[in-house]
Amino acid sequence: MSDLKALIFDVDGTLADTERDGHRVAFNRTFKEFKLDWEWDVALYEDLLSVTGGKERMRFYVEKYRPDFVRPDDFDELLKAMHLRKNEIFADMLRSGQIKLRPGVARLIAQARDEGLRLAVATTTSPENIDALLRFALHPESPSWFEVIAAGDIVPAKKPAPDIYFHALKELKLSADECIAFEDSENGIRASAGANLPTVITVNDYTRNHNFDGALLVIDQLGEPDAPFTVLSGDASGARFVDVPFLRTLASK
Ligand code: XBP
Ligand code: MG
């Protein structure tokens, strides 16, 4: 591998646990507002997460679970309108401080900036969600800390397709071995590994049992000096939390 130059972060599940108590709740509120009897409980949402992208996820739900639903002629427009509303509700949740960053994320990003590493995002979520998450959970100025924010519909094929990572690498003008990606899910690692990116996985409750073949390291969280990570697979060489020197060592292997 070459010298480490950039960190590329997934958003949902990686920077913050946004799914169960964030997007899922916002989807359910939207369905009520649109007078639909759709209700996504925590268990059902695990299955729905196999499809990335909010509009794609609603379509999948109708296909798999609601064959009874009579689709209006403007079904695509309805999905778009519901998705917009869901993201407004999600942004309100962020604004009111309901969603926090995962352990170690703010510390690692601050250290990466201090040490001159470049930062990017590669995610299937909508750009407005990233902006709100970064501004309200990290720092009001933090969207500008990320040189590239590759998100949402910018590439037609969402994760597990590697396209969003290829896009981010192209914008960064870096090769995959100059970067490390951070992901939390099987769809995520399929995308990052598909773009040949060395990847660190931090699992969450929805993704703990996913297949992370090809990951550099699988841990339960980035950790903090006083709250170490647990290694689920890979070699952490005795490290207790993820920091830049540790990532440089990983990248040089
Ligand atoms: C995230 C997603 C997104 C979010 C919701 O996957 O699949 O769809 O659940 O955001 P990943 P939107 O972390 O692998 O990028 O509703 O804006 O799509
Ligand atoms: Mg994710």
Side-chain angles (χ1 to χ4, degrees), residues 36-38 61-62 65-72 75 78-79 82:
L36 291 165
D37 65 345
W38 304 356
Y61 168 73
V62 169
Y65 293 97
R66 302 305 297 258
D68 56 308
F69 179 70
V70 182
R71 295 180 199 202
F75 186 49
L78 176 66
L79 290 182
M82 288 203 291

Side-chain angles (χ1 to χ4, degrees), residues 10 12 19 52-54 57 83 86 123-126 129 159:
D10 168 50
D12 294 298
E19 295 292 6
T52 58
R57 187 168 298 143
H83 190 239
K86 186 276 287 178
T123 175
T124 63
T125 205
S126 317
N129 295 343
K159 298 176 189 176

